[in-house]
Amino acid sequence: MAELQKMVEDVQGLLRASRLCLWYGEMNAIAVPIRSHPSGWMAAPVLYRPDSDDVMFSTEPADALALLPLSVRAQLQGEPVAAVLSARRPLDAQRTVGLYALWQQPADLPAEAPRLARDILGTVGQLLWRLGTSVDFAENHPQMHALASALPQGVVIVPLDSRLGYVNAAAAELLALPAGEARPDLLAERLQQLVQRTRNGGEVAAFASRVLGQEPVQPRERTAVWRLVDPPRALRVTISPIRTPRTQAWAWLLDDVSRETALQDELANNELKFRQFYQSLRDTVVFYDMAGQPVECNQALYELLGLPGPGPTALTPAALGWDAGSWARLTEECLRTGHTPPRERKLQAAGGRTVHAESSAYLRRDAEGRARGVWEVLHDITERKNVEAQLILSAEAFARHTEGVLLTDADSVILTANDAFVRTSGYSREELRGQRPNLLKSGKHDQRFYEQMRRAISEHGWWQGGVWNRHRNGELFFKWLTVNSVRDAQGTLTHYIGTYRDPVAVRTAQRHIEYLATHDQETQLPNAILFEDRIQSGLQRLRGGSGQLGLVIVEVQGMTRISNALGVSVGEQVIKDAAERLRGTCIGSLAVARLAKEQFGVLIEADHAGTLAHHCARILEALNPPYLHDDQPVAAPVAIGVSTFPLDGEDSQTLLIKANTALGRARAMEVPGYQFFAAELGREISESFALESGLRQALAHDEFFLEYQAQVSSRDGTVAGCEALVRWRRGETTVPPAVFIPVAEASNLIVPLTEWVLGQACRDLRQWDAHGVTIPTVSVNISARHFQLDTMVERLTHIVAEEGLAPTRICLEITEGALAEPEHSETKLRALRQAGFALSVDDFGTGYSSLSYLRRFALDELKIDRSFVRGIEGDPGDRALANAILAMARSLQLTTVAEGVETEQQQRYLAEHGCDLIQGYLFMRPSDASTLERYARERSSARPASVASAPQVLPASARG
């Protein structure tokens, strides 16, 4: 024993000399300091493995503190630490012994401290081994009590078995128990009562349940702050397990942190008040770090910049108008003086709007006086700057106005005059101030004249008329005077403004305004308003006579194509050149005018229709030759419609309507020319109106139905698709598509009609699927009108989705006319492809610039027009065109469909030259859905070797 006592004294001496503190316990549970602030040294018999040589040691502060157990680290909170030494050594599977020391300055760390630490841990290890016994440290009550009693924190030990627990003096006061041993159930009850006294009871109960539960928790999760209500108090509670071979218990450490928490609460409350204050400011406040990066701002910044709220680009130096140079100058000034004087800054707001702000910046320092950043206050002065600019502009405009301007107050006392009025009157500005306008009175106007002037100003707010005035030298001068009254926001009269104009200039301006109202500015020709007036004059002169009045409308064709291909400016120049040619050709006509963007009107007086036809021929001869652009010819032929008085009508509106009707017929001619209105045109118009009216009712009355024509694979003869063809059953008759489709196009009824076709085709497709007949795709024609709708893609996608089909089952057939205006079609075509629709160009090769469309637009299929197919058998030119189309399609990896195939020779030729699908009377006439279903079933089961030998729906006698 004497030897052991000597070892204990040696360890105590080493600890006192080295200022090292010894601890013992479990790393992940409670650790009992053997020598720590403030308990001192206590020897204890523990288990020790003499063969263990694993010592973990560090003097790096972060690593050294991490080697300490949680409870020791908790005691060290708030200690001023600059240098740390820490070491630990495992004793067995659960136990660890360690030591640590703290220094306030790095230089205080003794050089021999690491060696002493290793020596002490070795000596303590030998001592503990020598003291080795089965008595558990946690059950050494005298030592445990001495340790717990010396701690300023409350300590509660709650065993998990029937043994007595322990509460020290600091905890006894909180639990209303005497210090010392206590029953576990009583300790648990009092701790529960302590939970019930907390203001955050739910949070505290959840914390205790989580720590005391079965699931392991991290050491940092074993500490929480309890806020007691009565008396107001804050406890930092740490719950740690005590697990030894003979003891299972929970240690509760209750540390009074009321003062610390109160300071934190006060700080948080002050911070909240400050945030509420600066967020409510109408002026903008922005906090920056020293590098110029915005850290925080109030809501006013987003309102100033017109932004909806915080976003990824809102708080950046660039968004707030800072670059590296300007920020460096600002921080230099703030570091020198602490703030910057108010100055103006420009910021770029949403939508490209410029915001003017008055800026003041202030240096931000921390508690130790170190510069931490800059905060800036921005006051919006945009409105003030706008008012200043308006005042400057008004003053400048007033002074430089070429007409004389006189300003008086509400009592007609002259306040000021501009330079022009000074020159006109001969009086200086100083001579005029304080006088009344009657200073210039000429004596040529009686009292009644001035009374009428005052009454007009009083009733209407202004007066205008000619006035004689007298110059300072006595000479009379005449001016056109306009007097306006000025009132404030409340309607109170504040000023009068008199403007004196030269009457010659007034008359010139009036004539110019009249000219602008009646003439086209681009061509300088009379416009539609003046043209109608000229028609009225011509009709008045000819009524009762024997002559005729011809109303000619000339339309320049292809302007959209020219503008798209060569630019708008070239299109405008073509119109100007056409106007010049027309003006030169129609010398002697009653009128030549521009009626619309691409239309001109000519009024011709003639003795008979032959003379009018001669004039029209001369117009065609003059306007049809190509125009030159960069030495290249630009073709813009014209179409002409003519109506005559008195044959076609006796008023201007009737003649204009009938001339436009004739123009429509001229447009439809294979080679545009001129057409006179005739009675049959009138009948066509009536029939067209009747058809349009019927079409409007047809959808509502379910008069439309679909027929389908199969598209047969040239490879294996199966039905690879079909085309949906709309039909109209009107009463007992069926209206041909060639009759009602143009009317539907012209009236825009084609849009709802097309969407009905798409929906019905989807329903038939589902029916075929349900019957076990697979037809991969259905082709539906889409009008160019659809491409003018912004919602086109959404509408078509919605229809297919409602029918439960994928867009990949639908091929949309588009005419080349729909592609003629890329600004309407390109984006929509790409969106349709992305949605899954296949895209086909119908009647390929019959329009213009077809190859350019294939290069520009993402398409899937070409349909070779029936006119080329028809000529394959006997026309080498058509065969060459068909071959070129097929070769081009192969190179672009496009599917080809040949329309109008009626003979086996045509079919064989197309198949041999690579055409993918065949459509025409050779295989099937357009028929209803059930007929197509039977036909597809037959071809699928037959699986013919070639399409020519396959069964045919159309009898041979009907083909040809």
Side-chain angles (χ1 to χ4, degrees):
M1 285 298 295
E3 184 180 356
L4 291 178
Q5 182 62 36
K6 178 66 168 59
M7 289 179 69
V8 169
E9 290 175 355
D10 289 345
V11 170
Q12 290 176 336
L14 285 170
L15 291 171
R16 292 191 190 93
S18 64
R19 297 178 59 187
L20 295 171
C21 301
L22 195 66
W23 59 268
Y24 156 80
E26 299 180 46
M27 273 304 297
N28 295 323
I30 188 168
V32 179
I34 298 178
R35 179 183 185 272
S36 176
H37 308 292
S39 62
W41 161 257
M42 292 182 297
V46 295
L47 297 176
Y48 173 65
R49 291 187 307 168
D51 58 339
S52 174
D53 194 27
D54 184 14
V55 176
M56 286 174 282
F57 174 82
S58 179
T59 56
E60 290 293 328
D63 297 337
L65 289 173
L67 291 174
L68 296 176
L70 175 66
S71 57
V72 175
R73 290 203 304 272
Q75 290 188 56
L76 299 180
Q77 288 185 356
E79 292 279 354
V81 177
V84 184
L85 179 145
S86 182
R88 75 177 187 219
R89 180 176 210 162
L91 300 178
D92 55 25
Q94 295 181 335
R95 311 301 176 84
T96 304
V97 66
L99 51 81
Y100 69 92
L102 312 175
W103 288 271
Q104 295 183 4
Q105 299 294 332
D108 294 343
L109 174 64
E112 67 276 9
R115 179 183 58 78
L116 284 173
R118 295 184 184 277
D119 292 346
I120 291 171
L121 282 183
T123 304
V124 170
Q126 291 296 324
L127 172 63
L128 295 177
W129 177 66
R130 296 290 297 274
L131 289 171
T133 177
S134 63
V135 179
D136 191 273
F137 172 76
E139 293 182 85
N140 193 331
H141 291 159
Q143 297 170 359
M144 192 70 181
H145 294 177
L147 167 64
S149 299
L151 290 174
Q153 301 93 348
V155 177
V156 182
I157 307 295
V158 183
L160 299 180
D161 52 21
S162 59
R163 304 184 191 190
L164 291 175
Y166 175 76
V167 56
N168 73 348
E173 177 189 355
L174 291 168
L175 302 182
L177 287 173
E181 295 181 336
R183 298 193 321 273
D185 58 338
L186 181 60
L187 292 175
E189 177 185 341
R190 294 301 172 86
L191 286 169
Q192 180 62 32
Q193 292 174 358
L194 189 65
V195 170
Q196 294 172 355
R197 287 167 52 195
T198 59
R199 200 167 64 225
N200 55 337
E203 178 186 341
V204 167
F207 157 73
S209 175
R210 184 173 66 253
V211 176
L212 299 174
Q214 296 298 319
E215 296 295 329
V217 296
Q218 297 297 322
R220 63 178 178 273
E221 298 175 345
R222 294 176 180 158
T223 300
V225 176
W226 296 11
R227 295 176 179 269
L228 303 183
V229 177
D230 186 26
R233 201 165 181 181
L235 297 177
R236 182 186 292 116
V237 178
T238 303
I239 306 176
S240 295
I242 301 176
R243 295 189 182 94
T244 71
R246 301 185 57 189
T247 302
Q248 296 290 324
W250 287 99
W252 295 62
L253 220 63
L254 312 177
D255 194 6
D256 190 339
V257 291
S258 299
R259 175 175 169 74
E260 176 186 339
T261 304
L263 290 173
Q264 291 175 349
D265 289 346
E266 183 179 359
L267 181 61
N269 189 41
N270 289 338
E271 183 178 358
L272 178 62
K273 289 179 181 177
F274 170 72
R275 288 186 178 278
Q276 290 175 340
F277 165 72
Y278 99 91
Q279 284 291 351
S280 66
L281 290 175
R282 297 183 63 183
D283 283 345
T284 296
V285 181
V286 187
F287 294 89
Y288 304 87
D289 60 20
M290 289 303 290
Q293 179 62 42
V295 177
E296 189 178 357
C297 68
N298 62 354
Q299 181 62 31
L301 175 67
Y302 303 110
E303 296 173 2
L304 181 71
L305 298 181
L307 299 173
T313 60
L315 288 182
T316 63
L320 295 176
W322 296 110
D323 55 31
S326 60
W327 181 256
R329 291 189 293 273
L330 177 81
T331 51
E332 181 183 354
E333 187 173 2
C334 285
L335 288 170
R336 188 175 66 254
T337 63
H339 64 88
T340 63
R343 63 188 61 177
E344 290 185 10
R345 289 215 303 121
K346 292 181 182 178
L347 288 85
Q348 204 70 24
R353 181 172 55 92
T354 298
V355 174
H356 297 269
E358 187 176 75
S359 164
S360 298
Y362 305 86
L363 190 66
R364 285 195 302 125
R365 297 183 182 275
D366 60 15
E368 299 178 3
R370 289 173 294 191
R372 290 300 186 190
V374 172
W375 58 285
E376 180 186 28
V377 179
L378 296 164
H379 176 65
D380 188 357
I381 59 170
T382 305
E383 188 60 33
R384 190 186 81 193
K385 296 292 291 184
N386 291 340
V387 170
E388 289 176 358
Q390 187 62 40
L391 289 174
I392 293 171
L393 178 63
S394 299
E396 190 70 15
F398 177 78
R400 297 183 180 275
H401 206 298
T402 57
E403 298 163 345
V405 182
L406 192 68
L407 179 66
T408 76
D409 62 14
D411 296 324
S412 298
V413 176
I414 297 174
L415 299 175
T416 188
N418 70 348
D419 294 343
F421 186 82
V422 168
R423 290 192 298 271
T424 299
S425 66
Y427 291 95
S428 68
R429 199 172 283 106
E430 290 72 22
E431 290 173 320
L432 291 169
R433 287 195 184 106
Q435 299 290 336
R436 294 180 184 273
N438 59 13
L439 173 69
L440 308 173
K441 195 171 182 180
S442 64
K444 294 180 70 65
H445 303 292
D446 57 17
Q447 191 63 28
R448 185 167 171 271
F449 174 83
Y450 294 107
E451 287 176 359
Q452 290 176 342
M453 178 191 297
R454 283 191 290 270
R455 186 164 55 252
I457 296 171
S458 176
E459 293 176 359
H460 308 296
W462 64 280
W463 177 88
Q464 193 174 72
V467 176
W468 284 97
N469 282 323
R470 193 174 296 278
H471 194 273
R472 189 175 187 278
N473 62 11
E475 294 180 359
L476 295 177
F477 62 90
F478 182 80
K479 289 289 182 183
W480 188 263
L481 173 62
T482 301
V483 180
N484 288 282
S485 59
V486 181
R487 297 182 181 272
D488 60 18
Q490 289 73 39
T492 304
L493 179 66
T494 60
H495 299 86
Y496 292 106
I497 299 176
T499 305
Y500 294 82
R501 295 182 175 91
D502 186 345
V504 176
V506 171
R507 286 194 295 273
T508 303
Q510 289 174 338
R511 285 195 295 269
H512 183 61
I513 292 171
E514 291 172 359
Y515 180 85
L516 293 176
T518 57
H519 285 73
D520 173 58
Q521 298 307 298
E522 193 172 0
T523 62
Q524 305 305 311
L525 290 175
N527 61 15
I529 296 173
L530 185 54
F531 187 66
E532 187 167 354
D533 182 71
R534 299 285 170 84
I535 296 173
Q536 299 287 3
S537 300
L539 292 174
Q540 216 168 29
R541 185 168 60 256
L542 288 176
R543 278 193 176 96
S546 59
Q548 291 186 358
L549 183 66
L551 197 160
V552 180
I553 297 180
V554 181
E555 183 174 81
V556 183
Q557 306 289 296
M559 292 309 303
T560 300
R561 173 177 53 83
I562 292 171
S563 296
N564 289 339
L566 302 177
V568 175
S569 61
V570 176
E572 292 174 348
Q573 188 58 51
V574 167
I575 290 295
K576 290 179 183 178
D577 292 346
E580 284 300 317
R581 292 184 186 183
L582 192 62
R583 185 186 285 113
T585 304
C586 298
I587 297 173
S589 302
L590 297 181
V592 177
R594 186 179 185 186
L595 305 184
K597 184 179 179 182
E598 299 164 4
Q599 287 185 357
F600 299 95
V602 182
L603 204 59
I604 302 171
E605 186 176 345
D607 51 358
H608 54 80
T611 305
L612 292 176
H614 175 70
H615 279 285
C616 291
R618 288 184 57 202
I619 293 172
L620 286 173
E621 184 181 356
L623 271 65
N624 269 339
Y627 300 85
L628 287 180
H629 169 66
D630 290 339
D631 295 329
Q632 297 297 320
V634 179
V638 297
I640 299 174
V642 186
S643 64
T644 61
F645 165 84
L647 180 63
D648 299 324
E650 295 190 354
D651 62 85
S652 60
Q653 288 304 310
T654 301
L655 292 173
L656 283 166
I657 291 171
K658 293 186 175 182
N660 271 297
T661 303
L663 176 64
R665 174 65 69 87
R667 284 197 206 103
M669 295 170 64
E670 188 171 350
V671 177
Y674 64 86
Q675 283 287 316
F676 282 76
F677 181 82
E680 60 267 21
L681 292 180
R683 286 194 297 273
E684 287 181 10
I685 293 170
S686 298
E687 291 173 2
S688 177
F689 278 124
L691 276 174
E692 182 179 337
S693 178
L695 279 171
R696 293 187 185 279
Q697 300 177 26
L699 276 171
H701 296 167
D702 200 22
E703 295 177 7
F704 290 108
F705 64 95
L706 290 187
E707 290 185 340
Y708 295 94
Q709 189 171 32
Q711 295 174 341
V712 178
S713 170
S714 63
R715 187 178 66 256
D716 59 12
T718 58
V719 175
C722 64
E723 181 179 2
L725 304 167
V726 64
R727 300 292 187 257
W728 180 16
R729 186 180 295 109
R730 191 181 189 192
E732 298 300 321
T733 62
T734 299
V735 183
V739 173
F740 72 82
I741 291 295
V743 177
E745 288 272 6
S747 60
N748 210 28
L749 291 171
I750 195 68
V751 171
L753 178 57
T754 300
E755 293 177 355
W756 177 87
V757 171
L758 178 60
Q760 184 60 46
C762 289
R763 289 187 285 274
D764 289 339
L765 197 54
R766 282 196 294 108
Q767 188 74 13
W768 296 329
D769 289 346
H771 293 169
V773 175
T774 301
I775 296 177
T777 60
V778 175
S779 297
V780 176
N781 288 280
I782 297 296
S783 165
R785 290 273 193 173
H786 247 105
F787 285 88
Q788 297 173 4
L789 301 177
D790 293 336
T791 58
M792 171 192 178
V793 178
E794 292 78 3
R795 292 166 69 136
L796 298 183
T797 306
H798 176 71
I799 292 169
V800 177
E802 271 201 330
E803 298 299 335
L805 287 176
T808 52
R809 301 289 300 278
I810 303 298
C811 178
L812 302 178
E813 292 194 5
I814 303 158
T815 61
E816 292 187 43
L819 308 178
E821 298 184 359
E823 66 275 10
H824 288 147
S825 56
E826 184 169 10
T827 303
K828 295 183 178 68
L829 286 172
R830 295 189 186 280
L832 288 170
R833 281 292 302 277
Q834 290 174 358
F837 291 102
L839 301 177
S840 174
V841 178
D842 198 10
D843 301 333
F844 181 77
T846 59
Y848 49 83
S849 302
S850 303
L851 181 58
S852 69
Y853 296 149
L854 297 183
R855 295 172 57 196
R856 180 167 184 173
F857 302 110
L859 302 170
D860 301 285
E861 179 182 280
L862 299 183
K863 296 196 75 174
I864 304 173
D865 186 65
R866 65 183 67 248
S867 62
F868 299 140
V869 173
R870 190 183 306 120
I872 282 176
E873 294 176 299
D875 189 332
D878 283 349
R879 282 199 298 272
L881 283 172
N883 291 343
I885 292 173
L886 291 169
M888 179 176 58
R890 280 196 303 274
S891 66
L892 296 175
Q893 297 183 334
L894 300 177
T895 300
T896 49
V897 182
E899 291 184 298
V901 178
E902 299 182 355
T903 68
E904 293 180 1
Q905 182 180 353
Q906 293 170 351
Q907 179 271 320
R908 280 195 299 271
Y909 184 90
L910 290 166
E912 290 170 359
H913 287 79
C915 184
D916 300 297
L917 302 176
I918 309 296
Q919 177 180 341
Y921 284 5
L922 177 63
F923 301 105
M924 180 181 180
R925 278 185 179 275
S927 304
D928 59 21
S930 59
T931 302
L932 176 65
E933 181 181 332
R934 289 196 306 273
Y935 182 67
R937 194 186 301 275
E938 291 171 6
R939 298 195 74 85
S940 176
S941 60
R943 303 293 295 179
S946 69
V947 295
S949 61
Q952 298 167 349
V953 173
L954 182 67
S957 60
R959 296 197 305 272

